[in-house]
Amino acid sequence: MAAMIRLFRSSSSSSSNSISLIGRSLSTAAASETVKSQSYPHNSHSTSVDPKAKTVQWVFLGCPGVGKGTYASRLSTLLGVPHIATGDLVRDELKSSGPLSKQLAEIVNQGKLVSDEIILNLLSKRLESGEAKGEAGFILDGFPRTVRQAEILTEVTDIDLVVNLKLPERVLVEKCLGRRICSECGKNFNVASIDVAGENGAPRISMAPLNPPSQCVSKLITRADDTEAIVKERLSIYWDKSQPVEDFYRSQGKLLEFDLPGGIPESWPKLLEVLNLDEQEYKLSAAA
């Protein structure tokens, strides 16, 4: 592992600049972004996160389709910090017809994980752009996905909290197969109507569809990688690669595991509750 990290730092490696830039950008964020002091709750599988922590330097983990982007984006807006989703960075690069687009298309269409080198390259470009705009603090979504990435991140910044969103596999598959994108406005929708009975004492999970407005109905498209075979392959790869990442942060007492009880109406208030966040209070503070 040390040899691999040295490879990223070597002056001949393109990832060397990525590591130094990530460290510089995240350090800037740590120095300038604060919110009110709060205690981050934990469950029986984790230890307490420092209640005196003030910086918003969070990571969102979770299987493909669990809703990391949805909840990270909402928290980003509420707390006034950037939401950086590596999945969005990959999709933007695919649309750009840049030097990595063809290579990325092959990887994504096969349901494989994008390499550390490519992710670091895209992340460093995003951080450089944000730094130039004066952004501070962050909520990372989709990074880190491997222990190697987690160790690199630990070397350049302190993560305050890692939120691990969880849903049963059957629900995840149905959600992914129901995803739709409007080819004109770019907004995301979901046509799946999910009602899954709980197992082993778990409660039933129901999620209403997120239907598009009439002007988008005829323009809906499905992501190329949202087929049942690819979704299941992505889930399998995720569980193999990301379980050690969960263990990595669990051992540091920073992992908050959150079982989504349903769709946004059911889950959002409960997530705010476990994070000790008052949505109305933050909105009033931002408006002041």
Side-chain angles (χ1 to χ4, degrees):
M1 181 60 68
M4 284 190 277
I5 293 176
R6 283 197 297 271
L7 174 64
F8 276 96
R9 289 174 166 175
S10 69
S11 58
S12 61
S13 169
S14 61
S15 297
S16 171
N17 292 333
S18 301
I19 291 293
S20 61
L21 179 55
I22 290 171
R24 186 169 66 253
S25 299
L26 296 184
S27 295
T28 300
S32 57
E33 179 61 29
T34 61
V35 298
K36 67 177 183 178
S37 179
Q38 57 192 281
S39 173
Y40 305 129
H42 57 283
N43 60 25
S44 59
H45 301 293
S46 64
T47 56
S48 178
V49 176
D50 182 4
K52 297 181 180 180
K54 294 183 179 181
T55 56
V56 177
Q57 298 188 175
W58 295 355
V59 167
F60 265 64
L61 300 180
C63 291
V66 76
K68 296 186 298 295
T70 297
Y71 295 103
S73 178
R74 282 177 166 242
L75 285 167
S76 166
T77 300
L78 181 65
L79 300 174
V81 296
H83 166 217
I84 302 175
T86 53
D88 289 343
L89 299 182
V90 169
R91 284 185 283 275
D92 288 345
E93 185 67 25
L94 283 169
K95 295 176 185 176
S96 72
S97 299
L100 293 175
S101 60
K102 184 177 180 180
Q103 182 181 359
L104 281 171
E106 294 177 357
I107 294 171
V108 170
N109 289 335
Q110 292 174 22
K112 296 181 179 179
L113 286 180
V114 180
S115 70
D116 290 349
E117 289 81 359
I118 293 176
I119 289 297
L120 284 167
N121 181 283
L122 296 175
L123 183 57
S124 68
K125 291 197 313 187
R126 170 62 182 83
L127 288 169
E128 182 178 36
S129 173
E131 187 177 27
K133 298 175 184 176
E135 289 181 349
F138 56 83
I139 298 177
L140 292 179
D141 161 9
F143 184 92
R145 285 191 175 183
T146 66
V147 171
R148 180 189 187 194
Q149 292 177 354
E151 290 177 340
I152 290 172
L153 188 59
T154 296
E155 288 208 353
V156 298
T157 192
D158 292 323
I159 297 300
D160 305 318
L161 179 68
V162 179
V163 181
N164 186 28
L165 301 181
K166 303 173 75 174
L167 277 174
E169 180 178 359
R170 180 181 168 187
V171 176
L172 288 166
V173 172
E174 287 192 38
K175 279 194 68 182
C176 288
L177 296 182
R179 291 193 293 200
R180 299 292 186 273
I181 304 170
C182 177
S183 59
E184 185 170 292
C185 70
K187 290 184 178 179
N188 293 284
F189 305 98
N190 200 302
V191 299
S193 182
I194 298 172
D195 187 18
V196 177
E199 298 179 356
N200 301 319
R204 175 181 295 273
I205 295 178
S206 298
M207 295 184 181
L210 180 60
N211 290 316
S214 57
Q215 65 268 25
C216 294
V217 171
S218 63
K219 305 176 183 69
L220 295 183
I221 58 174
T222 303
R223 280 171 42 171
D225 57 336
D226 276 348
T227 66
E228 185 169 358
I230 291 180
V231 167
K232 288 184 174 180
E233 177 67 14
R234 289 169 63 204
L235 290 174
S236 176
I237 292 173
Y238 177 86
W239 282 320
D240 287 344
K241 296 287 186 180
S242 296
Q243 184 63 51
V245 178
E246 295 175 17
D247 294 338
F248 178 85
Y249 286 116
R250 185 179 291 111
S251 69
Q252 297 179 15
K254 296 182 177 181
L255 186 71
L256 171 65
E257 298 187 282
F258 183 75
D259 292 289
L260 293 163
I264 295 173
E266 300 82 15
S267 300
W268 176 240
K270 291 185 180 298
L271 180 59
L272 291 178
E273 181 181 349
V274 300
L275 291 172
N276 284 342
L277 295 176
D278 186 320
E279 185 172 20
Q280 189 60 32
E281 182 179 344
Y282 272 96
K283 285 181 178 179
L284 289 173
S285 176

PDB file of all heavy atoms in Angstrom, residues 77-101:
ATOM      1  N   THR A  77     -27.358  21.887   0.290  1.00  0.00           N
ATOM      2  CA  THR A  77     -28.136  23.117   0.203  1.00  0.00           C
ATOM      3  C   THR A  77     -28.445  23.671   1.587  1.00  0.00           C
ATOM      4  O   THR A  77     -28.331  24.875   1.838  1.00  0.00           O
ATOM      5  CB  THR A  77     -29.451  22.860  -0.559  1.00  0.00           C
ATOM      6  OG1 THR A  77     -29.144  22.396  -1.879  1.00  0.00           O
ATOM      7  CG2 THR A  77     -30.277  24.118  -0.647  1.00  0.00           C
ATOM      8  N   LEU A  78     -28.807  22.781   2.499  1.00  0.00           N
ATOM      9  CA  LEU A  78     -29.166  23.199   3.856  1.00  0.00           C
ATOM     10  C   LEU A  78     -27.983  23.807   4.593  1.00  0.00           C
ATOM     11  O   LEU A  78     -28.106  24.834   5.267  1.00  0.00           O
ATOM     12  CB  LEU A  78     -29.708  21.997   4.639  1.00  0.00           C
ATOM     13  CG  LEU A  78     -30.154  22.256   6.081  1.00  0.00           C
ATOM     14  CD1 LEU A  78     -31.356  23.199   6.103  1.00  0.00           C
ATOM     15  CD2 LEU A  78     -30.487  20.947   6.772  1.00  0.00           C
ATOM     16  N   LEU A  79     -26.809  23.195   4.458  1.00  0.00           N
ATOM     17  CA  LEU A  79     -25.633  23.608   5.219  1.00  0.00           C
ATOM     18  C   LEU A  79     -24.751  24.611   4.478  1.00  0.00           C
ATOM     19  O   LEU A  79     -23.824  25.162   5.062  1.00  0.00           O
ATOM     20  CB  LEU A  79     -24.798  22.381   5.603  1.00  0.00           C
ATOM     21  CG  LEU A  79     -25.509  21.341   6.473  1.00  0.00           C
ATOM     22  CD1 LEU A  79     -24.631  20.112   6.667  1.00  0.00           C
ATOM     23  CD2 LEU A  79     -25.889  21.927   7.825  1.00  0.00           C
ATOM     24  N   GLY A  80     -25.012  24.813   3.187  1.00  0.00           N
ATOM     25  CA  GLY A  80     -24.235  25.786   2.436  1.00  0.00           C
ATOM     26  C   GLY A  80     -22.828  25.337   2.101  1.00  0.00           C
ATOM     27  O   GLY A  80     -21.894  26.139   2.071  1.00  0.00           O
ATOM     28  N   VAL A  81     -22.659  24.035   1.852  1.00  0.00           N
ATOM     29  CA  VAL A  81     -21.356  23.504   1.454  1.00  0.00           C
ATOM     30  C   VAL A  81     -21.518  22.749   0.138  1.00  0.00           C
ATOM     31  O   VAL A  81     -22.608  22.264  -0.175  1.00  0.00           O
ATOM     32  CB  VAL A  81     -20.766  22.564   2.534  1.00  0.00           C
ATOM     33  CG1 VAL A  81     -20.499  23.328   3.810  1.00  0.00           C
ATOM     34  CG2 VAL A  81     -21.678  21.376   2.796  1.00  0.00           C
ATOM     35  N   PRO A  82     -20.455  22.635  -0.664  1.00  0.00           N
ATOM     36  CA  PRO A  82     -20.586  21.954  -1.953  1.00  0.00           C
ATOM     37  C   PRO A  82     -20.802  20.450  -1.819  1.00  0.00           C
ATOM     38  O   PRO A  82     -20.234  19.806  -0.942  1.00  0.00           O
ATOM     39  CB  PRO A  82     -19.253  22.259  -2.654  1.00  0.00           C
ATOM     40  CG  PRO A  82     -18.304  22.579  -1.557  1.00  0.00           C
ATOM     41  CD  PRO A  82     -19.110  23.236  -0.483  1.00  0.00           C
ATOM     42  N   HIS A  83     -21.643  19.928  -2.680  1.00  0.00           N
ATOM     43  CA  HIS A  83     -21.865  18.491  -2.807  1.00  0.00           C
ATOM     44  C   HIS A  83     -21.041  18.027  -3.998  1.00  0.00           C
ATOM     45  O   HIS A  83     -21.297  18.432  -5.133  1.00  0.00           O
ATOM     46  CB  HIS A  83     -23.353  18.221  -3.032  1.00  0.00           C
ATOM     47  CG  HIS A  83     -23.663  16.840  -3.511  1.00  0.00           C
ATOM     48  ND1 HIS A  83     -24.667  16.570  -4.433  1.00  0.00           N
ATOM     49  CD2 HIS A  83     -23.103  15.646  -3.209  1.00  0.00           C
ATOM     50  CE1 HIS A  83     -24.720  15.277  -4.663  1.00  0.00           C
ATOM     51  NE2 HIS A  83     -23.773  14.694  -3.940  1.00  0.00           N
ATOM     52  N   ILE A  84     -20.047  17.204  -3.742  1.00  0.00           N
ATOM     53  CA  ILE A  84     -19.157  16.734  -4.804  1.00  0.00           C
ATOM     54  C   ILE A  84     -19.406  15.247  -5.023  1.00  0.00           C
ATOM     55  O   ILE A  84     -19.037  14.409  -4.194  1.00  0.00           O
ATOM     56  CB  ILE A  84     -17.679  16.991  -4.444  1.00  0.00           C
ATOM     57  CG1 ILE A  84     -17.452  18.482  -4.188  1.00  0.00           C
ATOM     58  CG2 ILE A  84     -16.762  16.490  -5.556  1.00  0.00           C
ATOM     59  CD1 ILE A  84     -16.046  18.816  -3.719  1.00  0.00           C
ATOM     60  N   ALA A  85     -20.060  14.924  -6.137  1.00  0.00           N
ATOM     61  CA  ALA A  85     -20.418  13.544  -6.456  1.00  0.00           C
ATOM     62  C   ALA A  85     -19.528  13.038  -7.577  1.00  0.00           C
ATOM     63  O   ALA A  85     -19.565  13.562  -8.690  1.00  0.00           O
ATOM     64  CB  ALA A  85     -21.884  13.460  -6.860  1.00  0.00           C
ATOM     65  N   THR A  86     -18.742  12.024  -7.287  1.00  0.00           N
ATOM     66  CA  THR A  86     -17.834  11.513  -8.316  1.00  0.00           C
ATOM     67  C   THR A  86     -18.612  10.896  -9.482  1.00  0.00           C
ATOM     68  O   THR A  86     -18.144  10.913 -10.616  1.00  0.00           O
ATOM     69  CB  THR A  86     -16.854  10.479  -7.729  1.00  0.00           C
ATOM     70  OG1 THR A  86     -17.591   9.456  -7.042  1.00  0.00           O
ATOM     71  CG2 THR A  86     -15.892  11.145  -6.765  1.00  0.00           C
ATOM     72  N   GLY A  87     -19.818  10.374  -9.211  1.00  0.00           N
ATOM     73  CA  GLY A  87     -20.633   9.849 -10.299  1.00  0.00           C
ATOM     74  C   GLY A  87     -20.996  10.938 -11.290  1.00  0.00           C
ATOM     75  O   GLY A  87     -20.971  10.727 -12.508  1.00  0.00           O
ATOM     76  N   ASP A  88     -21.313  12.130 -10.772  1.00  0.00           N
ATOM     77  CA  ASP A  88     -21.616  13.263 -11.652  1.00  0.00           C
ATOM     78  C   ASP A  88     -20.378  13.691 -12.426  1.00  0.00           C
ATOM     79  O   ASP A  88     -20.466  14.071 -13.604  1.00  0.00           O
ATOM     80  CB  ASP A  88     -22.137  14.446 -10.835  1.00  0.00           C
ATOM     81  CG  ASP A  88     -23.533  14.202 -10.283  1.00  0.00           C
ATOM     82  OD1 ASP A  88     -24.216  13.285 -10.783  1.00  0.00           O
ATOM     83  OD2 ASP A  88     -23.936  14.924  -9.346  1.00  0.00           O
ATOM     84  N   LEU A  89     -19.223  13.639 -11.773  1.00  0.00           N
ATOM     85  CA  LEU A  89     -17.983  14.016 -12.450  1.00  0.00           C
ATOM     86  C   LEU A  89     -17.716  13.075 -13.625  1.00  0.00           C
ATOM     87  O   LEU A  89     -17.299  13.500 -14.700  1.00  0.00           O
ATOM     88  CB  LEU A  89     -16.805  13.977 -11.471  1.00  0.00           C
ATOM     89  CG  LEU A  89     -16.865  14.914 -10.268  1.00  0.00           C
ATOM     90  CD1 LEU A  89     -15.593  14.781  -9.418  1.00  0.00           C
ATOM     91  CD2 LEU A  89     -17.058  16.362 -10.700  1.00  0.00           C
ATOM     92  N   VAL A  90     -17.972  11.783 -13.397  1.00  0.00           N
ATOM     93  CA  VAL A  90     -17.773  10.795 -14.463  1.00  0.00           C
ATOM     94  C   VAL A  90     -18.750  11.051 -15.609  1.00  0.00           C
ATOM     95  O   VAL A  90     -18.361  11.050 -16.783  1.00  0.00           O
ATOM     96  CB  VAL A  90     -17.949   9.364 -13.905  1.00  0.00           C
ATOM     97  CG1 VAL A  90     -18.025   8.345 -15.060  1.00  0.00           C
ATOM     98  CG2 VAL A  90     -16.800   9.008 -12.976  1.00  0.00           C
ATOM     99  N   ARG A  91     -20.024  11.286 -15.269  1.00  0.00           N
ATOM    100  CA  ARG A  91     -21.023  11.516 -16.315  1.00  0.00           C
ATOM    101  C   ARG A  91     -20.734  12.799 -17.103  1.00  0.00           C
ATOM    102  O   ARG A  91     -20.922  12.851 -18.313  1.00  0.00           O
ATOM    103  CB  ARG A  91     -22.427  11.542 -15.700  1.00  0.00           C
ATOM    104  CG  ARG A  91     -22.946  10.147 -15.349  1.00  0.00           C
ATOM    105  CD  ARG A  91     -24.376  10.180 -14.870  1.00  0.00           C
ATOM    106  NE  ARG A  91     -24.495  10.648 -13.501  1.00  0.00           N
ATOM    107  CZ  ARG A  91     -24.361   9.873 -12.430  1.00  0.00           C
ATOM    108  NH1 ARG A  91     -24.087   8.585 -12.570  1.00  0.00           N
ATOM    109  NH2 ARG A  91     -24.497  10.367 -11.212  1.00  0.00           N
ATOM    110  N   ASP A  92     -20.276  13.832 -16.396  1.00  0.00           N
ATOM    111  CA  ASP A  92     -19.916  15.078 -17.087  1.00  0.00           C
ATOM    112  C   ASP A  92     -18.756  14.846 -18.054  1.00  0.00           C
ATOM    113  O   ASP A  92     -18.731  15.401 -19.159  1.00  0.00           O
ATOM    114  CB  ASP A  92     -19.532  16.160 -16.068  1.00  0.00           C
ATOM    115  CG  ASP A  92     -20.740  16.677 -15.299  1.00  0.00           C
ATOM    116  OD1 ASP A  92     -21.877  16.423 -15.734  1.00  0.00           O
ATOM    117  OD2 ASP A  92     -20.543  17.313 -14.241  1.00  0.00           O
ATOM    118  N   GLU A  93     -17.798  14.035 -17.628  1.00  0.00           N
ATOM    119  CA  GLU A  93     -16.657  13.745 -18.493  1.00  0.00           C
ATOM    120  C   GLU A  93     -17.098  12.936 -19.712  1.00  0.00           C
ATOM    121  O   GLU A  93     -16.613  13.153 -20.824  1.00  0.00           O
ATOM    122  CB  GLU A  93     -15.595  12.968 -17.707  1.00  0.00           C
ATOM    123  CG  GLU A  93     -14.301  12.710 -18.464  1.00  0.00           C
ATOM    124  CD  GLU A  93     -13.504  13.981 -18.743  1.00  0.00           C
ATOM    125  OE1 GLU A  93     -13.665  14.973 -17.990  1.00  0.00           O
ATOM    126  OE2 GLU A  93     -12.712  13.988 -19.712  1.00  0.00           O
ATOM    127  N   LEU A  94     -18.041  12.018 -19.505  1.00  0.00           N
ATOM    128  CA  LEU A  94     -18.567  11.226 -20.622  1.00  0.00           C
ATOM    129  C   LEU A  94     -19.232  12.122 -21.665  1.00  0.00           C
ATOM    130  O   LEU A  94     -19.105  11.892 -22.865  1.00  0.00           O
ATOM    131  CB  LEU A  94     -19.581  10.200 -20.098  1.00  0.00           C
ATOM    132  CG  LEU A  94     -19.012   8.961 -19.402  1.00  0.00           C
ATOM    133  CD1 LEU A  94     -20.125   8.194 -18.704  1.00  0.00           C
ATOM    134  CD2 LEU A  94     -18.290   8.062 -20.387  1.00  0.00           C
ATOM    135  N   LYS A  95     -19.942  13.144 -21.202  1.00  0.00           N
ATOM    136  CA  LYS A  95     -20.629  14.059 -22.112  1.00  0.00           C
ATOM    137  C   LYS A  95     -19.662  14.996 -22.829  1.00  0.00           C
ATOM    138  O   LYS A  95     -19.981  15.533 -23.888  1.00  0.00           O
ATOM    139  CB  LYS A  95     -21.645  14.901 -21.339  1.00  0.00           C
ATOM    140  CG  LYS A  95     -22.798  14.113 -20.740  1.00  0.00           C
ATOM    141  CD  LYS A  95     -23.684  15.042 -19.912  1.00  0.00           C
ATOM    142  CE  LYS A  95     -24.778  14.276 -19.196  1.00  0.00           C
ATOM    143  NZ  LYS A  95     -25.577  15.158 -18.310  1.00  0.00           N
ATOM    144  N   SER A  96     -18.503  15.207 -22.239  1.00  0.00           N
ATOM    145  CA  SER A  96     -17.587  16.215 -22.757  1.00  0.00           C
ATOM    146  C   SER A  96     -16.802  15.776 -23.982  1.00  0.00           C
ATOM    147  O   SER A  96     -16.199  16.593 -24.658  1.00  0.00           O
ATOM    148  CB  SER A  96     -16.582  16.606 -21.660  1.00  0.00           C
ATOM    149  OG  SER A  96     -15.660  15.549 -21.441  1.00  0.00           O
ATOM    150  N   SER A  97     -16.775  14.485 -24.258  1.00  0.00           N
ATOM    151  CA  SER A  97     -15.957  13.932 -25.347  1.00  0.00           C
ATOM    152  C   SER A  97     -14.488  14.258 -25.131  1.00  0.00           C
ATOM    153  O   SER A  97     -13.722  14.436 -26.085  1.00  0.00           O
ATOM    154  CB  SER A  97     -16.417  14.482 -26.710  1.00  0.00           C
ATOM    155  OG  SER A  97     -17.746  14.120 -26.962  1.00  0.00           O
ATOM    156  N   GLY A  98     -14.109  14.346 -23.858  1.00  0.00           N
ATOM    157  CA  GLY A  98     -12.718  14.623 -23.507  1.00  0.00           C
ATOM    158  C   GLY A  98     -11.853  13.389 -23.667  1.00  0.00           C
ATOM    159  O   GLY A  98     -12.317  12.331 -24.119  1.00  0.00           O
ATOM    160  N   PRO A  99     -10.577  13.489 -23.269  1.00  0.00           N
ATOM    161  CA  PRO A  99      -9.633  12.391 -23.471  1.00  0.00           C
ATOM    162  C   PRO A  99      -9.992  11.109 -22.721  1.00  0.00           C
ATOM    163  O   PRO A  99      -9.595  10.026 -23.120  1.00  0.00           O
ATOM    164  CB  PRO A  99      -8.303  12.975 -22.970  1.00  0.00           C
ATOM    165  CG  PRO A  99      -8.695  14.111 -22.070  1.00  0.00           C
ATOM    166  CD  PRO A  99      -9.943  14.666 -22.660  1.00  0.00           C
ATOM    167  N   LEU A 100     -10.768  11.236 -21.641  1.00  0.00           N
ATOM    168  CA  LEU A 100     -11.107  10.059 -20.852  1.00  0.00           C
ATOM    169  C   LEU A 100     -12.466   9.464 -21.222  1.00  0.00           C
ATOM    170  O   LEU A 100     -12.828   8.396 -20.733  1.00  0.00           O
ATOM    171  CB  LEU A 100     -11.125  10.410 -19.355  1.00  0.00           C
ATOM    172  CG  LEU A 100      -9.798  10.771 -18.700  1.00  0.00           C
ATOM    173  CD1 LEU A 100     -10.046  11.201 -17.256  1.00  0.00           C
ATOM    174  CD2 LEU A 100      -8.841   9.590 -18.736  1.00  0.00           C
ATOM    175  N   SER A 101     -13.229  10.148 -22.060  1.00  0.00           N
ATOM    176  CA  SER A 101     -14.626   9.767 -22.284  1.00  0.00           C
ATOM    177  C   SER A 101     -14.782   8.360 -22.857  1.00  0.00           C
ATOM    178  O   SER A 101     -15.653   7.600 -22.414  1.00  0.00           O
ATOM    179  CB  SER A 101     -15.312  10.789 -23.186  1.00  0.00           C
ATOM    180  OG  SER A 101     -14.669  10.872 -24.445  1.00  0.00           O
TER     181      SER A 101
END
